[in-house]
Amino acid sequence: MKDKFSCTILQSEALTKYLLETSAYPREHEQLKELRNASAEKYQQLSAMNVPADEGQFISLLLKVMNAKKTIEVGVFTGYSLLVTALALPHDAKIVAIDPDREAYETGLPFIEKAGVAHKIQFIDSSAKTAMNDFIDNGEEGTFDFAFVDADKENYVNYHEQLLKLVKVGGIIAYDNTLWSGTVALVDEELSQEWIDRIGEHRINLRNLNTFLAADSRIELAHLSIGDGLTLCRRVK
């Protein structure tokens, strides 16, 4: 068991530092670096809600390989993964970004604008359920290439049903934090009350999600030990 809860699956702080400093930070876009630093300055430890730079690199590469042009992001925070996506997509791409916290989004917005990609983004200050239902009602089922979800963990299963309508067959839905710092593997009976309080109910929500996705015949599944756990679901039905 780790000595402390952190938003990475890696058990070694030295290995995490090596990975970031050797492969991720040297290739990190300047505005991504600025956004990451501004988030840390304003939100301190909460800035870890953004994806780490190595996971951002993976998402960028995946989007380019997919030739994605229309994506949806559920949960934005200050927008590190949003800027990763905007930088990876072509000039005429569209990104729908949904989050009820406009203040956090506007923390990262100057860096998105500085990078010259703000025109690709439609930010919606709303609950995800309401916004996605609006897109479904407006006839946009099957029009999105990719979805990235990093929001309220207790609703991931509910978002999955909506996103299976919005994302086209062959498209990908990505769920972040699905290993919850490795705590999804811990045995309940072996956990002290202190640890239960530290890791919270999201551990249970994510275990339920992982079991649900593993049995979902509508998707192909890849559960990756990158960042804090990233689950890729390719829609096949």
Side-chain angles (χ1 to χ4, degrees), residues 188-202:
D188 294 354
E189 291 74 18
E190 296 177 359
L191 288 174
S192 67
Q193 188 59 49
E194 178 187 3
W195 257 93
I196 291 173
D197 292 341
R198 287 166 69 185
I199 60 183
E201 295 181 358
H202 289 330

Side-chain angles (χ1 to χ4, degrees), residues 5 61 73 102 108 165 181 217:
F5 180 85
L61 191 63
E73 184 155 334
R102 178 174 288 275
K165 296 178 181 179
S181 194
S217 63

Side-chain angles (χ1 to χ4, degrees), residues 90-115:
H91 182 79
D92 59 344
K94 178 181 179 180
I95 309 162
V96 172
I98 307 169
D99 200 303
D101 188 351
R102 178 174 288 275
E103 180 183 348
Y105 167 69
E106 290 180 347
T107 299
L109 183 57
F111 308 105
I112 294 172
E113 292 173 338
K114 186 177 179 181

Side-chain angles (χ1 to χ4, degrees), residues 115-180:
V117 293
H119 67 279
K120 303 178 188 180
I121 298 168
Q122 176 189 359
F123 179 75
I124 301 176
D125 182 354
S126 167
S127 73
K129 180 180 179 181
T130 299
M132 286 193 285
N133 277 337
D134 288 343
F135 280 108
I136 293 169
D137 292 342
N138 291 334
E140 296 203 41
E141 291 191 24
T143 64
F144 290 87
D145 301 307
F146 178 82
F148 182 73
V149 184
D150 186 3
D152 44 329
K153 314 310 176 193
E154 64 271 21
N155 277 315
Y156 272 22
V157 171
N158 297 325
Y159 296 155
H160 185 67
E161 297 304 322
Q162 293 176 293
L163 289 168
L164 279 175
K165 296 178 181 179
L166 290 170
V167 171
K168 69 182 183 182
V169 172
I172 288 178
I173 307 168
Y175 295 100
D176 199 32
N177 305 119
T178 51
L179 294 176
W180 205 237

Side-chain angles (χ1 to χ4, degrees), residues 1-59:
M1 183 186 297
K2 287 184 176 182
D3 292 331
K4 63 181 181 179
F5 180 85
S6 60
C7 291
T8 174
I9 191 61
L10 295 179
Q11 299 297 302
S12 165
E13 290 186 17
L15 181 56
T16 300
K17 184 173 184 289
Y18 172 82
L19 175 62
L20 292 172
E21 294 184 353
T22 302
S23 302
Y25 290 159
R27 288 177 172 264
E28 188 179 34
H29 190 281
E30 186 61 31
Q31 273 69 66
L32 284 171
K33 192 183 304 291
E34 292 173 355
L35 191 156
R36 176 166 55 82
N37 289 336
S39 300
E41 181 178 348
K42 180 172 182 177
Y43 290 98
Q44 304 297 315
Q45 290 184 335
L46 286 177
S47 66
M49 291 197 299
N50 279 321
V51 301
D54 58 323
E55 184 179 346
Q57 281 183 323
F58 174 79
I59 292 169

